[in-house]
């Protein structure tokens, strides 16, 4: 066929055939197949164009315009069909990919999830104490008898040990019994053993006692505070606790009452109440006639300093231990501590906090 130029009527047939195939092409890929069949390297029209070189000049004069004309028309038709198909494809896509802007948006995990009030309160009090220059110290929930009691000046057999309703583990082979820490005070000891004064730490964490009612759960939370240097005194402690309470309860003034008390690891020891009113079942701070106990505190006992390798003639300091669950209940008006740990999603939806609203002193603690 390359040697013999195609007769004119063959060209017409080829043209009709190609146009029909273009018309039949339903998408751009099938149209491309038609283009390759006609104008590709092995295509029918490319084949015809190659025959021009083998023709006599006279033949070329007549056939040349016919074949080139055919190629031009086929190219034009291909381009036209291509743009029609592209428009149709775009229309179809626009139809299938419509967005209904009236549909409700899907909520994201960070807007659906809730931060537990205890976590929130730990974040809040950490922000407040961090602002006063405290860092956070941690210790394990499973403690030794030595760190939970003995180093804190609870003599073996002392009745104060019994008051702690301790959960003990079975004795080890050497007779030592591990326990679930009954307070965060062993973290004081760990801190004094690990670093030299000046020390300014808070130790928030879980604590355990064999106890359960509306305001007690076997697992609860405390935050310990410890300041040790050469001059730390009760005046500093009082200021710190007052500033803390004002910031935490987000009120301009809080009245506090320091009552003498006893803890083996402090001397003197005190318990602190804050003034409040409880009218109509609602608790308000800085007013009223009621007092609410929120923490125990005192000057660290010289025996505890000695047990931790510090010379009581050189160093002194104060400590406190506060119930986190208690102040969370007070601040956020929850009346049953047991519900905190029942993992009821409805409770969490109601009392929980939005994950991205991080408590800061500048931005607001609970807003
Ligand atoms: N550990 C005490 C308790 O759980 C609370 C406490 C009292 C901690 C006085 C202290 C403190 O650091 O100085 O009852």
């Amino acid at each position: 066929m390359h040697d013999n130029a195609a007769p004119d009527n063959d060209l017409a047939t080829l043209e009709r055939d190609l146009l029909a195939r273009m018309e039949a092409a339903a998408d751009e890929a099938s149209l491309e197949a038609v283009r390759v069949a006609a104008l590709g390297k092995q295509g029918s029209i490319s084949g015809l164009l190659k025959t021009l070189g083998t023709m006599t000049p006279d033949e070329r004069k007549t056939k040349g315009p016919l074949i080139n004309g055919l190629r031009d028309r086929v190219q034009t038709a291909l381009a036209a069909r291509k743009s029609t198909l592209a428009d149709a494809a775009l229309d179809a896509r626009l139809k299938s990919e419509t967005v209904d802007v009236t549909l409700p948006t899907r909520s994201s995990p960070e807007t659906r999830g809730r931060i537990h009030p205890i976590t929130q309160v730990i974040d809040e009090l950490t922000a407040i104490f961090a602002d006063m220059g405290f860092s956070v110290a941690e210790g394990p929930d499973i403690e030794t008898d030595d760190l939970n009691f003995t180093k804190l000046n609870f003599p073996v057999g002392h009745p104060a040990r019994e008051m702690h309703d301790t959960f003990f583990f079975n004795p080890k082979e050497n007779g030592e019994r591990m326990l679930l820490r009954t307070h965060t005070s062993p973290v004081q000891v760990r801190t004094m053993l690990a670093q030299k004064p000046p020390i300014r730490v808070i130790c928030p964490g879980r604590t355990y006692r064999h106890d359960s009612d509306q305001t007690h759960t076997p697992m609860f939370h405390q935050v310990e505070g410890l300041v040790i240097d050469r001059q730390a005194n009760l005046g500093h402690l009082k200021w710190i606790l007052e500033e803390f309470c004002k910031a935490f309860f987000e009120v301009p003034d809080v009245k506090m009452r320091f009552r003498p008390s006893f803890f083996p690891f402090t001397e003197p020891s005190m318990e602190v109440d804050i003034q409040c009113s409880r009218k109509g079942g609602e608790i308000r701070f800085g007013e009223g006639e009621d007092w609410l106990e929120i923490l125990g505190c005192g000057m660290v006992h010289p025996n505890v300093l000695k047990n931790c390798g510090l010379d009581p003639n050189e160093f002194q300091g104060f400590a406190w231990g506060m119930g986190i669950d208690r102040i969370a209940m007070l601040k956020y008006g929850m009346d049953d501590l047991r519900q905190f740990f029942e993992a009821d999603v409805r409770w969490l939806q109601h009392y929980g906090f939005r994950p991205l609203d991080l408590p800061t002193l500048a931005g607001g603690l609970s807003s």
Side-chain angles (χ1 to χ4, degrees):
M1 167 171 173
H2 286 186
D3 299 332
N4 299 307
D8 297 353
N9 58 349
D10 282 3
L11 291 186
T13 311
L14 177 60
E15 183 167 354
R16 242 182 291 122
D17 177 48
L18 286 173
L19 290 177
R21 283 169 65 189
M22 283 181 222
E23 212 44 53
D27 52 36
E28 288 180 77
S30 350
L31 184 67
E32 175 63 7
V34 179
R35 189 194 66 78
V36 171
L39 299 169
K41 263 201 186 131
Q42 312 290 329
S44 45
I45 294 179
S46 310
L48 290 172
L49 288 167
K50 278 182 207 149
T51 63
L52 289 175
T54 64
M55 289 178 192
T56 62
D58 274 351
E59 228 179 342
R60 197 177 304 130
K61 221 180 240 166
T62 50
K63 291 285 178 192
L66 291 178
I67 296 174
N68 281 320
L70 168 63
R71 184 203 49 206
D72 292 347
R73 285 192 303 282
V74 165
Q75 266 173 347
T76 310
L78 276 169
R81 181 69 183 146
K82 187 172 166 133
S83 101
T84 308
L85 285 174
D87 286 351
L90 181 61
D91 279 349
R93 241 184 99 184
L94 287 174
K95 264 195 207 103
S96 69
E97 293 180 11
T98 51
V99 175
D100 183 351
V101 292
T102 65
L103 286 175
T105 52
R106 212 179 295 156
S107 63
S108 53
E110 66 272 21
T111 58
R112 261 177 294 142
R114 286 291 177 274
I115 297 293
H116 195 284
I118 294 296
T119 309
Q120 168 77 17
V121 164
I122 292 177
D123 288 347
E124 291 181 15
L125 60 87
T126 304
I128 298 171
F129 284 117
D131 195 57
M132 295 186 201
F134 284 77
S135 49
V136 174
E138 288 179 314
D141 291 13
I142 298 176
E143 253 314 350
T144 61
D145 192 282
D146 182 52
L147 290 166
N148 194 80
F149 290 127
T150 313
K151 285 225 168 27
L152 285 164
N153 197 35
F154 286 77
V156 175
H158 192 282
R161 288 190 178 221
E162 311 309 319
M163 286 167 58
H164 275 218
D165 298 313
T166 312
F167 288 110
F168 286 100
F169 288 83
N170 290 331
K172 295 192 208 171
E173 272 176 14
N174 63 6
E176 188 192 349
R177 278 191 308 177
M178 299 295 281
L179 49 80
L180 288 173
R181 67 178 178 194
T182 58
H183 50 180
T184 41
S185 304
V187 189
Q188 281 188 33
V189 177
R190 289 177 172 273
T191 306
M192 285 186 272
L193 288 171
Q195 68 190 70
K196 290 282 155 254
I199 293 173
R200 240 184 306 181
V201 291
I202 55 161
C203 330
R206 280 189 282 267
T207 47
Y208 306 82
R209 288 186 202 185
H210 194 281
D211 207 351
S212 183
D213 61 32
Q214 191 171 337
T215 52
H216 295 89
T217 48
M219 188 280 300
F220 57 106
H221 299 81
Q222 287 189 340
V223 57
E224 194 82 6
L226 176 70
V227 173
I228 304 282
D229 63 22
R230 290 166 202 278
Q231 267 133 28
N233 61 52
L234 288 180
H236 301 140
L237 170 66
K238 199 164 172 243
W239 180 85
I240 288 174
L241 294 177
E242 274 172 6
E243 289 304 305
F244 168 76
C245 283
K246 284 193 281 184
F248 179 75
F249 291 111
E250 300 175 64
V251 290
D253 201 22
V254 194
K255 290 230 167 46
M256 306 181 85
R257 181 168 80 175
F258 287 70
R259 277 183 293 108
S261 183
F262 170 78
F263 301 102
F265 36 90
T266 43
E267 183 58 38
S269 305
M270 284 154 294
E271 279 174 317
V272 176
D273 306 330
I274 51 175
Q275 192 176 43
C276 64
S277 87
R278 288 196 243 200
K279 281 195 214 98
E282 204 187 323
I283 298 193
R284 288 175 185 281
F285 298 100
E287 56 179 78
E289 295 307 314
D290 271 323
W291 294 95
L292 247 166
E293 183 194 323
I294 56 163
L295 62 95
C297 61
M299 294 299 292
V300 177
H301 198 292
N303 288 351
V304 176
L305 294 172
K306 270 188 248 163
N307 292 341
C308 298
L310 296 175
D311 179 357
N313 294 316
E314 195 179 345
F315 296 111
Q316 62 181 42
F318 50 83
W320 71 88
M322 186 158 48
I324 291 181
D325 316 81
R326 191 79 190 272
I327 61 170
M329 289 169 81
L330 289 176
K331 181 168 180 182
Y332 292 114
M334 296 163 280
D335 55 8
D336 191 338
L337 183 57
R338 289 166 298 195
Q339 289 177 342
F340 276 62
F341 311 117
E342 279 171 0
D344 184 333
V345 176
R346 293 163 304 176
W347 186 89
L348 197 56
Q349 277 295 331
H350 183 78
Y351 287 111
F353 293 81
R354 293 175 184 277
L356 296 182
D357 292 345
L358 294 183
T360 62
L361 286 183
L365 288 178
S366 59
S367 57

